[in-house]
Amino acid sequence: VQLQASGGGLVQAGGSLRLSCAASGSIFSIGYMGWYRQAPGKQRELVAIITRRGSTNYADSVKGRSTISGDNAKNTVYLQMNSLKPEDTAVYYCKAFENYYNRDYWGKGTQVTVSS
């Protein structure tokens, strides 16, 4: 499984960004995909995930401000982030969990910077 993430950038507080993650390769057994983030000096943390069936889960810190969605035809997952805060600044990583081998695949991170 290969993951190609895009959509990061610099935005002012209160602004919006949409991240995209396109999966390719052996995608037939992907159980879920999602976004994680890592701020400087902090551990990587869950932002949001979506299962193949469309069930979603969000971190409390982004709930109500972010929406994760998937396009099965394009094998792409999106993360729409609104009302961004400086504390959302981090490198955002796309992840896919593959059921057959029970392993994670990570994309290269994309930087999100929110200025105050």
Side-chain angles (χ1 to χ4, degrees):
V1 176
Q2 295 81 42
L3 302 173
Q4 182 66 48
S6 61
L10 173 64
V11 64
Q12 288 188 335
S16 299
L17 279 176
R18 189 175 82 154
L19 306 183
S20 300
C21 179
S24 60
S26 300
I27 62 173
F28 62 93
S29 58
I30 290 177
Y32 68 83
M33 291 179 64
W35 291 93
Y36 291 69
R37 67 187 182 187
Q38 187 166 18
K42 295 187 177 181
Q43 290 188 332
R44 193 172 296 187
E45 62 177 7
L46 168 73
V47 178
I49 60 171
I50 183 167
T51 70
R52 181 175 288 275
R53 295 185 178 184
S55 298
T56 59
N57 189 34
Y58 295 90
D60 288 342
S61 59
V62 303
K63 201 172 292 184
R65 301 188 294 121
S66 297
T67 303
I68 189 168
S69 60
D71 185 334
N72 288 334
K74 296 182 178 180
N75 301 316
T76 300
V77 170
Y78 304 97
L79 181 68
Q80 177 68 42
M81 300 187 293
N82 302 320
S83 302
L84 283 162
K85 306 175 182 180
E87 49 264 44
D88 293 317
T89 295
V91 178
Y92 284 68
Y93 296 91
C94 178
K95 185 184 104 168
F97 176 77
E98 197 271 340
N99 290 327
Y100 188 80
Y101 293 105
N102 196 33
R103 62 168 289 183
D104 294 330
Y105 293 86
W106 293 92
K108 291 183 179 179
T110 183
Q111 178 71 46
V112 171
T113 303
V114 184
S115 62
S116 57

